[in-house]
Amino acid sequence: MYNSIVSIDTENATVTAQGGITMRQLIDQIASKSLALTVAPSFDGVTLAGLLANGVHGSSLFGKGGAIHEYVIGMTIVTPASAAEGYSKLRILGSDDPDLNAAKVNLGVLGFVSTVTLQLEPMFKRQATMRVLHENDTGELVDEVNRISKSEEYGEIMWYPSLREVVYKYDHRVPVTTPGEGKNNYYGLQSQLATTVMVARLTEEAAEAVGGSKGRLMKCELALSTVTAQQTVAYGYQKNKNIDIPNIDIISVNITAVNVTKTFLNAFPVVGYQNDMATAGGCQRDLKPGFYCAWDQRVKGIVFFDAGIALPLRNLGPFLEDVRKLRDAAPAHSLCDMDIYTGFLFRFVKKTDTYLGTAQEDTVAVDFAWSRGNDGMTPRLDMDVFQELEQIAIDKYGARPHWGKNRNCAFEGVWKKYPKLLQFLDTKNRFDPSGFFSSEWSDAVLGLNGQGAPGVSTDAPFCAIEGNCNCVIDEHCAPQMNSFCRPGRVFTEARVCRSR
């Protein structure tokens, strides 16, 4: 498993751990020594080596920021070597080694990550409060997002554009003596009854089959039920971490807005230790019969595209204004699909010196998702809207795609957005000159494929349905199913698959 703690230095507040350790294992074990990692990703099931390969982050513009790799002060990596060297070489990277800036976000192409040393700090507590407000205008939203980024060390925002609702999370440190044994047990990452998981997906598919305005309204009803269910349990925040949150049937939930508001008023603030508040998970560890993660395909769970983009913070206002314009220009309720999946999630990542860190300047990390089809040839309802959102963010406003998320088309030409790419490639060429840890995909993403070699995008029928290309001709969509390549409604340079 290679998932153990190697050593904890309580005097210098550091930990060295093997690359296969999960975030939950790591933060709980260091907590037993009254130490904490300053930031953590949203999902506690990722491994240490895996999150560094992809540049995984939490949310913060304070101190070193929200990216976990900013707290790496050392690594050991096993790389290929000659026969005379025994075919492998252990490279020890200290905090002053320039190659560490390549290894901290490495795409898995430098070698096998053996151990990682992280800078920690004394254990502390956090206090989280969430507020649900009606969306008035995007200017007010931008102002509050900017205020939270500056005033709340761990602030986050969820915006449900079709429901016209905004959820602000105010999250900051409090003295460790502050009373509270709370926990972030985010509901979306807890195990669900198999019937709940299956019915959610079947409801989506029923809406797709109906199509048109009625299909959109069906998705809006599912979005409202999902959001209401999550707010009924305060998104899983618990004042007492030892009390299990109830399982909610999101399809049959019938709770008034007044009761949801009352639940929120009673649920917050929540105070707890950093290891209990910083990250969540659970379904991947739950062995109870009949319970599954919402995305588990053994019971035909939800299937979705996940767009994670690093948007320059300075471009947030214009981006949100374009989202509003697209919402107004598209058919009514077109964005309900994404509201089933938390709408827009905004988090913050500070500028980095790491060569392939997505935050090449102070960044708002924007996540949004929408339902994916059961095959790569059938158009989805309103998929043109989400394709345009992708292209607005990436092509118009210079966002960088998260290395561990997104569809293939988002990575087209991405290497051009990294000013220190050559420094990364220098390390890569020295660590693995034969490309043992590389692939056609990684070469394409890094701009290394020569003429005629496979690229990030493909040129084939239906390629835009799954995001293997941005459409150029109708055949990239599905003309035989009334889906054609058309300009975007707001960003006319975008090319999307739209039904007539």
Side-chain angles (χ1 to χ4, degrees), residues 25-44:
Q25 291 171 321
L26 175 68
I27 63 175
D28 282 350
Q29 289 186 54
I30 61 176
S32 70
K33 302 295 184 181
S34 299
L35 294 170
L37 184 60
T38 306
V39 295
S42 298
F43 179 50
D44 68 12

PDB file of all heavy atoms in Angstrom, residues 25-44:
ATOM      1  N   GLN A  25      -5.753   9.789   6.302  1.00  0.00           N
ATOM      2  CA  GLN A  25      -4.755   9.105   7.131  1.00  0.00           C
ATOM      3  C   GLN A  25      -3.695  10.083   7.624  1.00  0.00           C
ATOM      4  O   GLN A  25      -3.299  10.071   8.796  1.00  0.00           O
ATOM      5  CB  GLN A  25      -4.098   7.982   6.324  1.00  0.00           C
ATOM      6  CG  GLN A  25      -4.999   6.811   5.996  1.00  0.00           C
ATOM      7  CD  GLN A  25      -4.353   5.851   5.005  1.00  0.00           C
ATOM      8  OE1 GLN A  25      -3.667   6.276   4.061  1.00  0.00           O
ATOM      9  NE2 GLN A  25      -4.552   4.563   5.209  1.00  0.00           N
ATOM     10  N   LEU A  26      -3.256  10.954   6.733  1.00  0.00           N
ATOM     11  CA  LEU A  26      -2.178  11.885   7.062  1.00  0.00           C
ATOM     12  C   LEU A  26      -2.609  12.880   8.138  1.00  0.00           C
ATOM     13  O   LEU A  26      -1.943  13.024   9.172  1.00  0.00           O
ATOM     14  CB  LEU A  26      -1.736  12.628   5.803  1.00  0.00           C
ATOM     15  CG  LEU A  26      -0.699  13.731   6.000  1.00  0.00           C
ATOM     16  CD1 LEU A  26       0.641  13.137   6.421  1.00  0.00           C
ATOM     17  CD2 LEU A  26      -0.542  14.569   4.738  1.00  0.00           C
ATOM     18  N   ILE A  27      -3.718  13.568   7.918  1.00  0.00           N
ATOM     19  CA  ILE A  27      -4.068  14.657   8.828  1.00  0.00           C
ATOM     20  C   ILE A  27      -4.517  14.140  10.194  1.00  0.00           C
ATOM     21  O   ILE A  27      -4.325  14.811  11.206  1.00  0.00           O
ATOM     22  CB  ILE A  27      -5.123  15.604   8.219  1.00  0.00           C
ATOM     23  CG1 ILE A  27      -6.446  14.885   7.945  1.00  0.00           C
ATOM     24  CG2 ILE A  27      -4.589  16.258   6.964  1.00  0.00           C
ATOM     25  CD1 ILE A  27      -7.542  15.823   7.458  1.00  0.00           C
ATOM     26  N   ASP A  28      -5.109  12.942  10.231  1.00  0.00           N
ATOM     27  CA  ASP A  28      -5.498  12.397  11.530  1.00  0.00           C
ATOM     28  C   ASP A  28      -4.283  11.935  12.333  1.00  0.00           C
ATOM     29  O   ASP A  28      -4.249  12.080  13.565  1.00  0.00           O
ATOM     30  CB  ASP A  28      -6.482  11.246  11.350  1.00  0.00           C
ATOM     31  CG  ASP A  28      -7.895  11.730  11.046  1.00  0.00           C
ATOM     32  OD1 ASP A  28      -8.139  12.951  11.156  1.00  0.00           O
ATOM     33  OD2 ASP A  28      -8.751  10.894  10.699  1.00  0.00           O
ATOM     34  N   GLN A  29      -3.278  11.384  11.640  1.00  0.00           N
ATOM     35  CA  GLN A  29      -2.097  10.927  12.368  1.00  0.00           C
ATOM     36  C   GLN A  29      -1.264  12.096  12.889  1.00  0.00           C
ATOM     37  O   GLN A  29      -0.735  12.049  14.002  1.00  0.00           O
ATOM     38  CB  GLN A  29      -1.251  10.009  11.487  1.00  0.00           C
ATOM     39  CG  GLN A  29      -1.908   8.649  11.248  1.00  0.00           C
ATOM     40  CD  GLN A  29      -1.014   7.685  10.492  1.00  0.00           C
ATOM     41  OE1 GLN A  29       0.120   7.432  10.878  1.00  0.00           O
ATOM     42  NE2 GLN A  29      -1.525   7.160   9.386  1.00  0.00           N
ATOM     43  N   ILE A  30      -1.158  13.174  12.119  1.00  0.00           N
ATOM     44  CA  ILE A  30      -0.405  14.320  12.635  1.00  0.00           C
ATOM     45  C   ILE A  30      -1.195  15.047  13.722  1.00  0.00           C
ATOM     46  O   ILE A  30      -0.625  15.650  14.627  1.00  0.00           O
ATOM     47  CB  ILE A  30       0.010  15.297  11.511  1.00  0.00           C
ATOM     48  CG1 ILE A  30      -1.199  15.880  10.789  1.00  0.00           C
ATOM     49  CG2 ILE A  30       0.964  14.614  10.532  1.00  0.00           C
ATOM     50  CD1 ILE A  30      -0.856  16.917   9.741  1.00  0.00           C
ATOM     51  N   ALA A  31      -2.545  14.954  13.640  1.00  0.00           N
ATOM     52  CA  ALA A  31      -3.371  15.565  14.687  1.00  0.00           C
ATOM     53  C   ALA A  31      -3.125  14.897  16.036  1.00  0.00           C
ATOM     54  O   ALA A  31      -3.234  15.554  17.083  1.00  0.00           O
ATOM     55  CB  ALA A  31      -4.850  15.465  14.317  1.00  0.00           C
ATOM     56  N   SER A  32      -2.792  13.613  16.014  1.00  0.00           N
ATOM     57  CA  SER A  32      -2.510  12.917  17.274  1.00  0.00           C
ATOM     58  C   SER A  32      -1.268  13.472  17.960  1.00  0.00           C
ATOM     59  O   SER A  32      -1.047  13.223  19.156  1.00  0.00           O
ATOM     60  CB  SER A  32      -2.341  11.415  17.009  1.00  0.00           C
ATOM     61  OG  SER A  32      -1.138  11.154  16.296  1.00  0.00           O
ATOM     62  N   LYS A  33      -0.457  14.227  17.216  1.00  0.00           N
ATOM     63  CA  LYS A  33       0.729  14.891  17.767  1.00  0.00           C
ATOM     64  C   LYS A  33       0.492  16.392  17.921  1.00  0.00           C
ATOM     65  O   LYS A  33       1.440  17.169  18.059  1.00  0.00           O
ATOM     66  CB  LYS A  33       1.937  14.657  16.855  1.00  0.00           C
ATOM     67  CG  LYS A  33       2.274  13.189  16.625  1.00  0.00           C
ATOM     68  CD  LYS A  33       2.718  12.495  17.899  1.00  0.00           C
ATOM     69  CE  LYS A  33       3.129  11.061  17.627  1.00  0.00           C
ATOM     70  NZ  LYS A  33       3.542  10.351  18.876  1.00  0.00           N
ATOM     71  N   SER A  34      -0.779  16.790  17.884  1.00  0.00           N
ATOM     72  CA  SER A  34      -1.178  18.205  18.033  1.00  0.00           C
ATOM     73  C   SER A  34      -0.605  19.080  16.927  1.00  0.00           C
ATOM     74  O   SER A  34      -0.266  20.251  17.146  1.00  0.00           O
ATOM     75  CB  SER A  34      -0.764  18.741  19.410  1.00  0.00           C
ATOM     76  OG  SER A  34      -1.405  18.018  20.426  1.00  0.00           O
ATOM     77  N   LEU A  35      -0.514  18.520  15.703  1.00  0.00           N
ATOM     78  CA  LEU A  35      -0.034  19.259  14.539  1.00  0.00           C
ATOM     79  C   LEU A  35      -1.108  19.257  13.454  1.00  0.00           C
ATOM     80  O   LEU A  35      -1.990  18.394  13.423  1.00  0.00           O
ATOM     81  CB  LEU A  35       1.252  18.642  13.999  1.00  0.00           C
ATOM     82  CG  LEU A  35       2.477  18.726  14.911  1.00  0.00           C
ATOM     83  CD1 LEU A  35       3.612  17.874  14.363  1.00  0.00           C
ATOM     84  CD2 LEU A  35       2.925  20.174  15.079  1.00  0.00           C
ATOM     85  N   ALA A  36      -1.011  20.230  12.549  1.00  0.00           N
ATOM     86  CA  ALA A  36      -2.000  20.360  11.490  1.00  0.00           C
ATOM     87  C   ALA A  36      -1.338  20.781  10.186  1.00  0.00           C
ATOM     88  O   ALA A  36      -0.333  21.504  10.185  1.00  0.00           O
ATOM     89  CB  ALA A  36      -3.066  21.387  11.872  1.00  0.00           C
ATOM     90  N   LEU A  37      -1.916  20.339   9.085  1.00  0.00           N
ATOM     91  CA  LEU A  37      -1.565  20.846   7.764  1.00  0.00           C
ATOM     92  C   LEU A  37      -2.425  22.075   7.515  1.00  0.00           C
ATOM     93  O   LEU A  37      -3.642  22.052   7.752  1.00  0.00           O
ATOM     94  CB  LEU A  37      -1.825  19.776   6.703  1.00  0.00           C
ATOM     95  CG  LEU A  37      -1.430  20.087   5.263  1.00  0.00           C
ATOM     96  CD1 LEU A  37       0.063  20.357   5.144  1.00  0.00           C
ATOM     97  CD2 LEU A  37      -1.839  18.937   4.335  1.00  0.00           C
ATOM     98  N   THR A  38      -1.821  23.153   7.064  1.00  0.00           N
ATOM     99  CA  THR A  38      -2.519  24.438   6.974  1.00  0.00           C
ATOM    100  C   THR A  38      -3.736  24.384   6.063  1.00  0.00           C
ATOM    101  O   THR A  38      -4.770  25.007   6.348  1.00  0.00           O
ATOM    102  CB  THR A  38      -1.548  25.533   6.495  1.00  0.00           C
ATOM    103  OG1 THR A  38      -0.407  25.543   7.349  1.00  0.00           O
ATOM    104  CG2 THR A  38      -2.201  26.895   6.505  1.00  0.00           C
ATOM    105  N   VAL A  39      -3.638  23.664   4.958  1.00  0.00           N
ATOM    106  CA  VAL A  39      -4.754  23.540   4.019  1.00  0.00           C
ATOM    107  C   VAL A  39      -4.923  22.077   3.641  1.00  0.00           C
ATOM    108  O   VAL A  39      -4.021  21.259   3.838  1.00  0.00           O
ATOM    109  CB  VAL A  39      -4.540  24.389   2.738  1.00  0.00           C
ATOM    110  CG1 VAL A  39      -4.521  25.869   3.058  1.00  0.00           C
ATOM    111  CG2 VAL A  39      -3.267  23.970   2.012  1.00  0.00           C
ATOM    112  N   ALA A  40      -6.078  21.761   3.062  1.00  0.00           N
ATOM    113  CA  ALA A  40      -6.351  20.400   2.608  1.00  0.00           C
ATOM    114  C   ALA A  40      -7.343  20.461   1.462  1.00  0.00           C
ATOM    115  O   ALA A  40      -8.097  21.431   1.346  1.00  0.00           O
ATOM    116  CB  ALA A  40      -6.906  19.545   3.756  1.00  0.00           C
ATOM    117  N   PRO A  41      -7.373  19.437   0.610  1.00  0.00           N
ATOM    118  CA  PRO A  41      -8.345  19.415  -0.483  1.00  0.00           C
ATOM    119  C   PRO A  41      -9.743  19.104   0.030  1.00  0.00           C
ATOM    120  O   PRO A  41      -9.917  18.678   1.182  1.00  0.00           O
ATOM    121  CB  PRO A  41      -7.821  18.288  -1.381  1.00  0.00           C
ATOM    122  CG  PRO A  41      -7.115  17.361  -0.437  1.00  0.00           C
ATOM    123  CD  PRO A  41      -6.495  18.253   0.598  1.00  0.00           C
ATOM    124  N   SER A  42     -10.739  19.295  -0.810  1.00  0.00           N
ATOM    125  CA  SER A  42     -12.126  19.061  -0.392  1.00  0.00           C
ATOM    126  C   SER A  42     -12.392  17.596  -0.076  1.00  0.00           C
ATOM    127  O   SER A  42     -13.170  17.285   0.825  1.00  0.00           O
ATOM    128  CB  SER A  42     -13.087  19.529  -1.493  1.00  0.00           C
ATOM    129  OG  SER A  42     -12.965  20.907  -1.719  1.00  0.00           O
ATOM    130  N   PHE A  43     -11.757  16.682  -0.820  1.00  0.00           N
ATOM    131  CA  PHE A  43     -11.994  15.240  -0.678  1.00  0.00           C
ATOM    132  C   PHE A  43     -10.813  14.598   0.021  1.00  0.00           C
ATOM    133  O   PHE A  43      -9.668  14.740  -0.412  1.00  0.00           O
ATOM    134  CB  PHE A  43     -12.198  14.620  -2.065  1.00  0.00           C
ATOM    135  CG  PHE A  43     -12.422  13.139  -2.058  1.00  0.00           C
ATOM    136  CD1 PHE A  43     -13.366  12.559  -1.220  1.00  0.00           C
ATOM    137  CD2 PHE A  43     -11.702  12.312  -2.907  1.00  0.00           C
ATOM    138  CE1 PHE A  43     -13.575  11.191  -1.224  1.00  0.00           C
ATOM    139  CE2 PHE A  43     -11.901  10.944  -2.911  1.00  0.00           C
ATOM    140  CZ  PHE A  43     -12.840  10.385  -2.071  1.00  0.00           C
ATOM    141  N   ASP A  44     -11.084  13.873   1.103  1.00  0.00           N
ATOM    142  CA  ASP A  44      -9.996  13.323   1.905  1.00  0.00           C
ATOM    143  C   ASP A  44      -9.495  11.967   1.431  1.00  0.00           C
ATOM    144  O   ASP A  44      -8.638  11.356   2.056  1.00  0.00           O
ATOM    145  CB  ASP A  44     -10.393  13.255   3.385  1.00  0.00           C
ATOM    146  CG  ASP A  44     -11.502  12.233   3.669  1.00  0.00           C
ATOM    147  OD1 ASP A  44     -11.829  11.419   2.809  1.00  0.00           O
ATOM    148  OD2 ASP A  44     -12.049  12.256   4.807  1.00  0.00           O
TER     149      ASP A  44
END
